[in-house]
Amino acid sequence: MKKLNFAIIGCGRIAQRHAEHINRLGTLVAVCDIEIVKAEALGNQYNVNSYQLIEDLLAIETSLDVVAICTPNGLHAKHSIQALNAGYNVLVEKPMAVTVKDCEDMIAAAKTNDKLLFAIKQNRYNPPVAAVKDAIDKGILGKIYSLQLSCFWNRDAAYYHNSWKGTKDLDGGTLFTQFSHFIDLLYWMNGDVEKVYTITGNFAHQGIIEFEDTGVVALQFSNGSIGTINYTVNSHAKNMEGSLTIFAEKGTVKIGGQYLNELEYQSIEDFEIKDLPKGNTANNYGTYVGSMSNHDKVYQNVIDVIQNGASMTTSAFDALKTVEIIHKIYSSTSKA
C-alpha cells in the first residue's frame, strides 16, 4: 500500500519528533515555518520542500494526505482550519487550541470538509497508563472514589527566553503547554468535571511569563468522585514527578515516575498488573524533558484510520474536553 504524504507546519523542537516518525512510517513532502531558516533547516535535513507561507504550501503541495500542525498553541485553530478548508486531514499537537470556541470551530471545519481531525494525546499509550485504564474499563477497580494528580516539573527562565512560550495569547497557561496531557488522563479515566476550585500563583517567573507557574486544584467529577491537581514548574533544576494516584472500591494504584512512566504502587483485590512493556523514553529537548515519546503510536493510528478504517484513539471531542476542563480550572482561579 502506498505510504501517506505528510506536511509539517511549524518547525520548532517538537517538529523534529514528527519528522522522524513521518519519515519512517509515511512520506514527508514539505515543511513550513514563518521563520524560513527553521523551515529550510528541517527541509534540508529530509530533502523536502520548504515554505514560509502556509498558503503557498497548501496551494502547491496537492498530493498531501495529512498536515501536522506544530505551531504555537494559540495558532493551532487558525492553521488547522486553513489545512482542513484546503482539503487535507489534520493532526494537531497538544493542546488542540486554547479556547473551547476554537476547538468547536476546528471540529466544524473537519465536518464541513469531510476530513479527519486527529489530536495528539501520547500519554494514553504509556504502558502503566494503558494497563490502569483497562482495569478501570473492566470494572476491576470498582467505583472510583478519588484521584490525585501531581505534576512537578522544571521550566527555568531560559526555557521561556525569546519564545512564544509564557505568553497568554500563544501559550495560554502552564496547564496548556506543560500538563494538558495529564488533564486528558483525568477525563479519559474518570469522565467529565462538574465543580472546580483553584488557587494559582506565579512565584519564580515574575516578569518572565504572563500567567501562573504553580496551581492547586480541587475537582468534583460528574460521577461523584473527587480529585486534586497539584502542579508547578518550579521543581529545582530538573523534573521531579508526574503521577496519578487512584483510590477506588477494589484497589489503589499509583502511576508515577517523572512522566507517568512507572507503575509505582498497586494494591488491587484479587488482581495484579504485571509484565508491563518498558515503553518509550521521554521527549528530550536538550535543556529540558517532556512527556513520554509515543508519537510513533499516534502516527501509526493516523495511518491505520485513513488506510484501514481503524478507530481513532483520540477523538477531537476528547481533545476539546481537555481544553474545556482547563478553562473551568482557570475560570475558577483565585490568586495566591
Side-chain angles (χ1 to χ4, degrees):
M1 187 175 289
K2 179 182 175 292
K3 288 186 174 182
L4 297 183
N5 290 335
F6 291 82
I8 298 173
I9 295 176
C11 297
R13 283 170 168 153
I14 196 62
Q16 291 285 344
R17 188 72 58 192
H18 284 256
E20 172 189 338
H21 295 305
I22 290 170
N23 190 54
R24 185 170 60 84
L25 298 170
T27 303
L28 183 60
V29 173
V31 297
C32 177
D33 197 291
I34 194 168
E35 295 183 34
I36 190 61
V37 173
K38 289 184 178 180
E40 289 176 343
L42 188 60
N44 290 339
Q45 183 180 346
Y46 289 93
N47 194 29
V48 301
N49 296 332
S50 306
Y51 294 87
Q52 185 173 28
L53 299 178
I54 294 173
E55 293 80 4
D56 290 344
L57 181 150
L58 296 176
I60 295 170
E61 301 292 350
T62 56
S63 69
L64 293 175
D65 297 296
V66 183
V67 177
I69 307 298
C70 302
T71 50
N73 303 346
L75 298 175
H76 284 178
K78 176 184 177 182
H79 294 156
S80 295
I81 291 169
Q82 280 184 274
L84 290 164
N85 286 343
Y88 304 118
N89 301 301
V90 166
L91 170 64
V92 62
E93 257 296 342
K94 60 82 181 169
M96 182 175 172
V98 293
T99 72
V100 174
K101 175 64 163 55
D102 278 350
C103 293
E104 291 171 343
D105 290 346
M106 293 162 73
I107 292 171
K111 184 175 181 181
T112 297
N113 293 287
D114 194 25
K115 292 298 170 183
L116 297 170
L117 175 60
F118 299 86
I120 287 181
K121 299 291 182 187
Q122 77 258 24
N123 277 8
R124 293 187 178 191
Y125 293 101
N126 293 9
V129 170
V132 171
K133 167 65 171 172
D134 185 61
I136 291 171
D137 288 348
K138 290 176 177 175
I140 291 168
L141 291 178
K143 183 179 179 181
I144 293 178
Y145 297 146
S146 66
L147 306 89
Q148 279 73 49
L149 180 63
S150 298
C151 311
F152 306 144
W153 281 9
N154 170 271
R155 294 294 182 265
D156 60 13
Y159 169 82
Y160 298 100
H161 180 67
N162 195 28
S163 169
W164 57 269
K165 297 182 178 73
T167 65
K168 189 66 176 174
D169 288 345
L170 291 181
D171 183 322
T174 297
L175 288 177
F176 281 116
T177 299
Q178 270 67 56
F179 303 129
S180 65
H181 287 317
F182 295 74
I183 304 298
D184 169 65
L185 294 186
L186 288 180
Y187 173 74
W188 191 47
M189 290 186 171
N190 200 43
D192 210 351
V193 170
E194 281 194 358
K195 296 180 181 178
V196 186
Y197 308 91
T198 308
I199 302 173
T200 65
N202 183 358
F203 297 98
H205 296 78
Q206 291 288 335
I208 298 171
I209 63 177
E210 297 176 355
F211 40 72
E212 87 291 357
D213 64 14
T214 302
V216 178
V217 186
L219 308 162
Q220 183 175 29
F221 292 85
S222 298
N223 63 9
S225 63
I226 59 176
T228 61
I229 306 170
N230 285 278
Y231 70 96
T232 186
V233 290
N234 294 335
S235 176
H236 183 69
K238 62 183 180 179
N239 291 353
M240 174 186 166
E241 176 180 333
S243 69
L244 175 61
T245 304
I246 299 174
F247 297 94
E249 178 185 8
K250 298 179 182 178
T252 299
V253 295
K254 181 182 180 182
I255 307 166
Q258 286 189 21
Y259 40 88
L260 289 168
N261 59 310
E262 300 172 12
L263 186 62
E264 289 191 356
Y265 179 89
Q266 61 173 317
S267 177
I268 306 171
E269 181 181 310
D270 300 325
F271 186 80
E272 181 183 2
I273 297 170
K274 53 188 177 182
D275 300 324
L276 290 177
K278 180 174 171 41
N280 292 333
T281 58
N283 283 313
N284 192 319
Y285 303 106
T287 55
Y288 67 97
V289 177
S291 295
M292 184 175 275
S293 176
N294 289 319
H295 282 71
D296 56 331
K297 297 177 179 64
V298 172
Y299 270 97
Q300 189 60 64
N301 179 247
V302 169
I303 292 166
D304 286 345
V305 170
I306 293 173
Q307 291 190 330
N308 305 318
S311 297
M312 194 181 293
T313 55
T314 308
S315 71
F317 178 78
D318 281 5
L320 178 152
K321 293 303 293 187
T322 300
V323 173
E324 186 177 84
I325 290 169
I326 291 173
H327 270 280
K328 287 179 180 179
I329 291 170
Y330 282 149
S331 64
S332 74
T333 297
S334 58
K335 302 297 182 182

